[in-house]
Amino acid sequence: MTIDAHSHYMPPEVATNTAFFKEHWSDAEKQLRLMDEYHIDQAVLLYPTSDAHLNMGGWQALCKIYNLKISELLKAHPDRFIGGGILPVDTPAAIKDELKRIKDLDLKILSLASSYEGKYLDEPIFNEVFEFASNNKMPVHVHPQIMNPIGQERVHDPLLSPVLEYVFDVSMCIGKMMVSGVFTKHPQVNFIFAHFGGVLPIVKERFDSTYNMLRRRNFVKDLGRIPSAYFSRLYFDMSGTPLFGIFTDCF
């Protein structure tokens, strides 16, 4: 079976509230035709991150519509799509209820962004999210944040931002989660990072050599193992990365 682990569908009710993800992202029938054409059996539907929450009154309103509409699409095509649910990160008190709702809607994966307004997934509010994922054997997919990613305050460019800032945000997210102990605290969670983890394949060896050098000088805390040992336990999708043969050797 061939599964597309990184695909997007934007419900029309959400797409109309975005600057970029318009009607072409809401055509499920076209998506199914393309899947058939390229012999893809199933596709995982992930939230691409957008400005919809800014135009819909916040993440709670967005979650209410987005998660429901993804669930309805799954019911219409149960053998073709796997749904990812999103969370109201701007309202931590509502996260627990939305996690339960995601499960009730039969969404099988948690779809998170690499950061939210500059805050990465090592923030304490995500502890209950990862505990839920662990207890329910639900993978966590991390997609690049396109709204205010790392470096956005210095470089705001329609080409440089998606090519560089988006993927750097994923790499920084992985680094922050590693040094803060998230991967150690939640060893049962299957974390999936988009786009091969950004620049991680290129800097993996530098992570190890720099960490070992700084440990000898007692400049950094003891992580318990070298960084690459943590990276080897993570999962990565290949979206936007045609050089598959080069990167598979990096992990």
Side-chain angles (χ1 to χ4, degrees):
M1 175 178 286
T2 301
I3 300 176
D4 180 356
H6 185 143
S7 184
H8 301 305
Y9 169 80
M10 194 68 90
E13 298 86 349
V14 177
T16 56
N17 288 284
T18 71
F20 182 79
F21 301 98
K22 295 300 185 181
E23 64 272 6
H24 295 297
W25 297 79
S26 305
D27 191 341
E29 294 305 319
K30 181 179 179 180
Q31 190 161 353
L32 287 167
R33 290 195 302 272
L34 288 172
M35 288 169 62
D36 291 338
E37 180 180 346
Y38 290 97
H39 309 290
I40 297 172
D41 299 297
Q42 289 185 310
V44 180
L45 301 179
L46 304 164
Y47 185 65
T49 72
S50 77
D51 54 345
H53 61 287
L54 300 176
N55 302 315
M56 296 177 66
W59 279 92
Q60 274 189 285
L62 171 60
C63 291
K64 182 178 180 180
I65 294 175
Y66 179 86
N67 289 340
L68 175 62
K69 294 301 178 180
I70 293 297
S71 176
E72 290 176 352
L73 184 60
L74 300 186
K75 290 177 181 177
H77 305 280
D79 298 326
R80 304 307 304 274
F81 294 124
I82 301 168
I86 61 175
L87 295 169
V89 292
D90 58 347
T91 312
I95 288 178
K96 183 177 180 179
D97 287 342
E98 194 61 35
L99 285 168
K100 181 180 183 302
R101 182 167 173 262
I102 286 172
K103 184 177 180 180
D104 291 342
L105 289 171
D106 203 29
L107 303 180
K108 300 298 187 182
I109 187 168
L110 297 178
S111 182
L112 301 182
S114 50
S115 66
Y116 297 89
E117 298 300 326
K119 295 183 178 180
Y120 289 90
L121 303 186
D122 60 327
E123 291 287 322
I125 66 167
F126 294 103
N127 283 333
E128 67 173 318
V129 176
F130 301 145
E131 289 173 2
F132 177 90
S134 180
N135 293 337
N136 291 276
K137 295 180 171 56
M138 187 175 290
V140 174
H141 186 280
V142 181
H143 187 277
Q145 177 58 268
I146 71 172
M147 300 299 297
N148 193 32
I150 190 170
Q152 185 81 354
E153 70 282 359
R154 298 181 66 182
V155 179
H156 187 69
D157 184 271
L159 175 61
L160 299 180
S161 292
V163 173
L164 298 174
E165 292 172 357
Y166 294 3
V167 294
F168 286 159
D169 208 64
V170 175
S171 301
M172 182 59 74
C173 178
I174 296 171
K176 293 272 286 179
M177 294 174 76
M178 177 188 66
V179 298
S180 66
V182 171
F183 300 138
T184 301
K185 186 176 181 179
H186 304 283
Q188 302 304 315
V189 177
N190 289 326
F191 289 101
I192 308 167
F193 292 90
H195 308 304
F196 263 107
V199 298
L200 194 61
I202 301 171
V203 300
K204 187 191 75 167
E205 299 301 332
R206 181 175 174 81
F207 252 119
D208 285 349
S209 61
T210 304
Y211 169 74
N212 287 331
M213 179 269 291
L214 294 177
R215 276 298 298 153
R216 288 194 295 270
R217 301 183 63 180
N218 201 31
F219 270 36
V220 296
K221 66 180 180 181
D222 185 0
L223 296 178
R225 62 188 71 181
I226 58 176
S228 62
Y230 288 101
F231 304 153
S232 67
R233 299 168 59 185
L234 306 176
Y235 294 87
F236 304 88
D237 73 41
M238 303 177 295
S239 178
T241 309
L243 301 177
F244 175 67
I246 293 177
F247 288 126
T248 49
D249 293 333
C250 294
F251 297 104

